[in-house]
């Protein structure tokens, strides 16, 4: 199977979803069967050390492939069996669809809103409201090849979030509450240049017992009834690195959902976060059990390779 993944032509920034999908298809099908169109430089970042696949640190905020999984540039000739198209690159997508009339189309809307944004082919939606059926749910994913291969002792809680100039009140409350816990590793900043490097953050996650996901910038009671803004990289990133995740209960549809108390711990308000974190830290055996179960569920259903398989299945194709 050959897959063409459409990207926006020109400057790139925060193409997290489609870059994750690109990585998933590369890992599933092999590097010579998946082509980015037009070529996205952030999928092929230069190495710092030959053989390390570590990209230039100046590009750290631009993609989800910024630490050990940039791919070599390859030429893949048509015909393509599947086109990954969508709202992230509408002009490039329509061009690819026109030039590949026999290909199946996965039309992806990875925007932060819950608005209906359908296109040709089988529709996938990142912020799909619960109870609607005009698209298949497709939250963000994370490349499993970034997961460390060495086991370590886990301890404490890690929380890392942007506070958006001081307007993300719930994130700030969570950070303040967690900072009262001995040994908590809390990083909040409005200046992206002052954030920990991905490698430093990943080292902390890999050694953490508990991790946090809370994405909405605005307080929950101010979010309108479209209920968008739940999804973020921190959710699957925490699961990928094996923490017991304390997360805001989702108000979007998640395929193969997580089970509260088994492989995730959900909360309904920001003031519940520190309560659940303390419960987990006081019972490390339970925290490790939830962390392992969440990690296994992530690998089975939510890593980038699993997302690629999911898209193939929903498009009615077979490997």
């Amino acid at each position: 199977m050959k897959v063409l993944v459409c990207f926006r032509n020109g400057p790139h920034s925060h193409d997290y979803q489609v870059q994750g999908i690109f990585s998933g298809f590369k890992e599933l099908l092999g590097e010579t069967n998946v082509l980015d169109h037009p070529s996205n430089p952030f999928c092929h970042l230069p190495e710092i050390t030959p053989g390390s696949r570590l990209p230039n640190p100046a590009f750290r905020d631009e993609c989800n492939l910024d630490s050990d999984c940039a791919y070599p540039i390859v030429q893949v000739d048509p015909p393509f069996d599947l086109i990954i198209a969508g709202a992230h690159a509408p002009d490039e997508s329509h061009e690819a669809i026109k030039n590949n009339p026999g290909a199946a189309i996965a039309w992806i809307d990875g925007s932060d809103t819950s608005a209906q944004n359908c296109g040709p082919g089988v529709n996938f939606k990142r912020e799909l409201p619960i109870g609607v059926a005009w698209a298949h749910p497709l939250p963000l994913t994370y490349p499993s090849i970034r997961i460390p291969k060495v086991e370590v002792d886990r301890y404490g809680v890690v929380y890392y979030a942007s506070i958006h100039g001081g307007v993300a009140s719930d994130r700030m409350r969570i950070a303040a509450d967690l900072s009262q816990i001995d040994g908590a590793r809390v990083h909040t900043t409005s200046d992206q240049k002052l954030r920990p490097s991905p490698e430093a953050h990943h080292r902390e996650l890999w050694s953490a017992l508990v991790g946090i996901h809370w994405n909405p910038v605005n307080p929950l009671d101010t979010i309108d009834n479209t209920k968008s803004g739940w999804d973020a990289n921190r959710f699957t990133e925490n699961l990928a690195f094996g923490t017991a995740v304390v997360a805001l209960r989702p108000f979007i549809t998640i395929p193969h959902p997580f089970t509260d108390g088994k492989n995730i711990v959900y909360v309904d308000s920001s003031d519940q976060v520190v309560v659940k974190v303390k419960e987990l830290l006081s019972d490390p055996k339970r925290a490790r059990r939830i962390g392992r179960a969440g990690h296994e569920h992530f690998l089975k259903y939510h890593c980038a390779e699993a997302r690629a398989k999911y898209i193939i299945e929903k498009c009615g194709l077979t490997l």
Side-chain angles (χ1 to χ4, degrees):
M1 176 181 291
K2 292 183 180 181
V3 178
L4 183 69
V5 181
C6 296
F7 285 91
R8 185 176 67 257
N9 194 15
H12 293 265
S13 181
H14 293 76
D15 289 334
Y16 297 124
Q17 186 176 52
V18 68
Q19 285 163 346
I21 292 169
F22 177 79
S23 175
F25 276 107
K26 283 283 192 181
E27 297 305 310
L28 180 65
L29 303 176
E31 293 179 347
T32 59
N33 290 311
V34 184
L35 179 68
D36 47 324
H37 168 77
S39 181
N40 182 344
F42 297 112
C43 293
H44 313 286
L45 291 171
E47 296 175 336
I48 295 174
T49 305
S52 72
R53 286 186 148 183
L54 290 175
N56 188 321
F59 299 113
R60 290 311 169 95
D61 190 46
E62 300 305 328
C63 66
N64 211 8
L65 307 180
D66 58 4
S67 174
D68 71 20
C69 61
Y71 293 96
I73 296 175
V74 298
Q75 179 59 42
V76 183
D77 296 322
F80 292 96
D81 303 288
L82 174 64
I83 297 173
I84 304 300
H88 55 277
D91 294 339
E92 296 79 2
S93 296
H94 286 296
E95 176 190 16
I97 292 168
K98 179 180 178 181
N99 293 336
N100 296 273
I105 304 164
W107 185 269
I108 293 170
D109 180 11
S111 65
D112 291 329
T113 77
S114 60
Q116 188 170 349
N117 189 355
C118 294
V122 181
N123 277 260
F124 296 87
K125 175 70 176 175
R126 173 185 168 195
E127 292 274 347
L128 186 70
I130 293 173
V132 305
W134 43 261
H136 296 293
L138 194 77
L140 292 170
T141 185
Y142 204 82
S144 63
I145 60 173
R146 298 183 69 180
I147 300 171
K149 303 299 187 289
V150 179
E151 287 293 336
V152 296
D153 292 332
R154 293 187 176 275
Y155 68 96
V157 57
V158 168
Y159 182 53
Y160 171 33
S162 170
I163 58 175
H164 286 262
V167 301
S169 57
D170 280 326
R171 297 183 189 181
M172 294 168 66
R173 172 188 291 181
I174 291 169
D177 290 346
L178 293 176
S179 295
Q180 304 305 308
I181 299 175
D182 288 342
R185 288 164 280 177
V186 179
H187 304 286
T188 59
T189 179
S190 293
D191 187 347
Q192 294 180 347
K193 295 179 181 178
L194 300 178
R195 299 182 311 175
S197 71
E199 286 78 18
H201 178 55
H202 292 163
R203 281 194 298 271
E204 289 194 341
L205 277 180
W206 191 238
S207 64
L209 190 60
V210 181
I212 311 297
H213 169 258
W214 186 287
N215 189 52
V217 173
N218 298 317
L220 290 182
D221 59 2
T222 68
I223 298 176
D224 64 26
N225 58 13
T226 61
K227 287 282 189 173
S228 61
W230 182 89
D231 195 27
N233 283 330
R234 297 290 169 251
F235 184 66
T236 48
E237 183 181 52
N238 272 279
L239 291 159
F241 285 84
T243 69
V245 181
V246 176
L248 172 63
R249 193 178 306 277
F251 45 73
I252 66 168
T253 305
I254 299 178
H256 305 290
F258 291 81
T259 303
D260 191 10
K262 178 181 178 181
N263 49 29
I264 201 83
V265 175
Y266 283 136
V267 296
D268 297 296
S269 63
S270 58
D271 57 359
Q272 293 177 1
V273 171
V274 71
V275 175
K276 295 299 183 181
V277 168
K278 287 181 176 179
E279 289 177 0
L280 289 168
L281 293 179
S282 67
D283 190 351
K285 190 174 293 185
R286 174 174 175 254
R288 291 187 184 95
R289 183 172 65 249
I290 291 174
R292 285 194 298 268
H295 183 69
E296 290 170 1
H297 194 75
F298 159 82
L299 289 175
K300 186 174 183 179
Y301 295 114
H302 297 281
C303 70
E305 188 173 343
R307 280 286 191 273
K309 292 178 181 177
Y310 172 81
I311 291 172
I312 289 173
E313 173 193 345
K314 295 304 181 184
C315 287
L317 303 174
T318 57
L319 289 171

